[in-house]
Amino acid sequence: MSKVAFFGLGVMGFPMAGYLSRAGHEVCVYNRTAAKTKAWLECYPGRGAETVIEAVREADFVFACVGNDDDLREITTGDNGAYSAMKEGALFIDHTTVSATVTRELAKVAADRGIGYLDAPVSGGQQGAEKGQLTVMVGGNTDDFQRAAPLMDSYGRQVTLLGPVGSGQLCKMVNQICVAGLIEALAEGLHFARAAGLDAEQVIDVISKGAAQSWQMENRYLTMLAGEYNHGFAVDLMRKDLGIVLAEAKKNGTRLPVTNMVNEFYDELHNMGGGRWDTSSLLARLESQSG
């Protein structure tokens, strides 16, 4: 069993760190909001740290699941960041969805200090994290991946090395491109079904057995029809992710018209006060515009 530090006890990181603890690893958690650390310690064996440096000093593996590029830089290379105290040969695994640019930047700094680095964004949302059934998309070298894979298996249904550092983040961008388009299509389909006087639940029961089937359809249509948008990934987080996607697309010359359009729809939802609604609230946007 390994000594582990885990940063970020949000809706994803909280259960992920818990699975590492339940797997028998010696887990030390750190969160900027101390109340979350206290809540985690009430649920799982382990210890809490008051500083990043305290958390990582003896760790073999350091995991992060924080907010954005700036948050990740702060806990790694910032004043009193993890890199200043991690021991040589330790491995940093980043589960945050960030840009490939910051991933490569931080991996290079880590390598210069004798620290391994894996970018390992996840998909599956809060539900997948709580059930230990996340998809983990990994970039890095094979040796580091093989060392870390058994730990990530504790909460990952599928843990896959896709290529060198940055590959995990690029794969997550593909995931978000596909998810954004699927949710908007589902929202439009449900909106149309209702306007046409159909029983929307019956319609989904029929078409979900055919080519239109998707995870979003199976898991979100009932809450969408009920106008319940407090399930899983928030609009503002998707806006952050799609911003990363569109910036990368600009660099590589990719045309993403649907992704760009859906990103604008999420901006509208944010302006409607729905920044904390889940991403399926695209239906609420359509209904708000109905005559």
Side-chain angles (χ1 to χ4, degrees):
M1 297 294 105
S2 302
K3 293 183 178 180
V4 172
F6 200 106
F7 302 143
L9 301 176
V11 296
M12 304 292 289
F14 193 107
M16 292 165 72
Y19 275 103
L20 288 167
S21 175
R22 287 176 176 172
H25 300 292
E26 186 178 325
V27 179
C28 179
V29 296
Y30 170 81
N31 195 82
R32 286 184 296 187
T33 305
K36 289 188 177 180
T37 298
K38 181 181 178 182
W40 188 90
L41 293 171
E42 291 172 353
C43 297
Y44 304 105
R47 65 186 183 89
E50 294 185 1
T51 67
V52 169
I53 288 177
E54 179 189 346
V56 304
R57 193 168 279 126
E58 300 299 324
D60 304 304
F61 299 89
V62 177
F63 292 81
C65 190
V66 292
N68 54 37
D69 287 23
D70 290 340
D71 294 330
L72 187 60
R73 284 194 181 99
E74 180 182 348
I75 65 165
T76 52
T77 59
D79 294 340
N80 301 312
Y83 283 6
S84 66
M86 286 176 67
K87 60 187 181 183
E88 187 173 350
L91 181 56
F92 190 92
I93 302 105
D94 176 38
H95 288 309
T96 317
T97 297
V98 292
S99 68
T101 299
V102 75
T103 290
R104 295 180 182 119
E105 168 196 319
L106 295 178
K108 184 180 184 305
V109 176
D112 291 342
R113 301 189 182 197
I115 299 167
Y117 192 102
L118 297 173
D119 60 296
V122 299
S123 180
Q126 182 177 350
Q127 182 179 357
E130 291 174 349
K131 292 183 177 181
Q133 295 181 347
L134 292 169
T135 296
V136 188
M137 300 157 261
V138 188
N141 71 52
T142 302
D143 290 343
D144 287 342
F145 174 76
Q146 290 177 344
R147 285 173 58 200
L151 283 79
M152 293 187 285
D153 283 341
S154 67
Y155 46 76
R157 175 177 57 185
Q158 180 170 344
V159 181
T160 305
L161 179 64
L162 291 146
V165 166
S167 300
Q169 296 297 343
L170 293 170
C171 183
K172 178 62 182 287
M173 293 178 206
V174 175
N175 184 84
Q176 301 304 70
I177 291 168
C178 295
V179 167
L182 284 169
I183 299 174
E184 174 61 17
L186 177 59
E188 291 183 16
L190 293 174
H191 185 55
F192 180 91
R194 279 177 161 170
L198 296 171
D199 180 331
E201 289 191 30
Q202 185 181 41
V203 168
I204 294 298
D205 184 60
V206 172
I207 69 173
S208 65
K209 307 302 189 295
Q213 189 274 340
S214 69
W215 186 96
Q216 298 293 336
M217 181 178 289
E218 294 283 353
N219 289 274
R220 288 290 175 263
Y221 84 95
L222 284 174
T223 52
M224 290 170 75
L225 290 172
E228 297 173 357
Y229 300 119
N230 58 347
H231 300 273
F233 200 62
V235 163
D236 282 347
L237 292 176
M238 180 60 98
R239 292 171 67 232
K240 183 263 290 185
D241 287 4
L242 294 183
I244 292 170
V245 168
L246 294 169
E248 188 70 27
K250 188 174 182 179
K251 291 179 184 178
N252 67 23
T254 308
R255 293 184 64 252
L256 302 176
V258 173
T259 304
N260 188 70
M261 178 182 67
V262 176
N263 186 52
E264 292 176 357
F265 293 165
Y266 281 126
D267 286 345
E268 291 179 26
L269 279 167
H270 171 84
N271 293 334
M272 289 168 54
R276 299 306 305 165
W277 297 346
D278 73 63
T279 51
S280 70
S281 58
L282 286 168
L283 178 59
R285 173 190 165 273
L286 292 169
E287 290 180 334
S288 74
Q289 298 174 350
S290 297

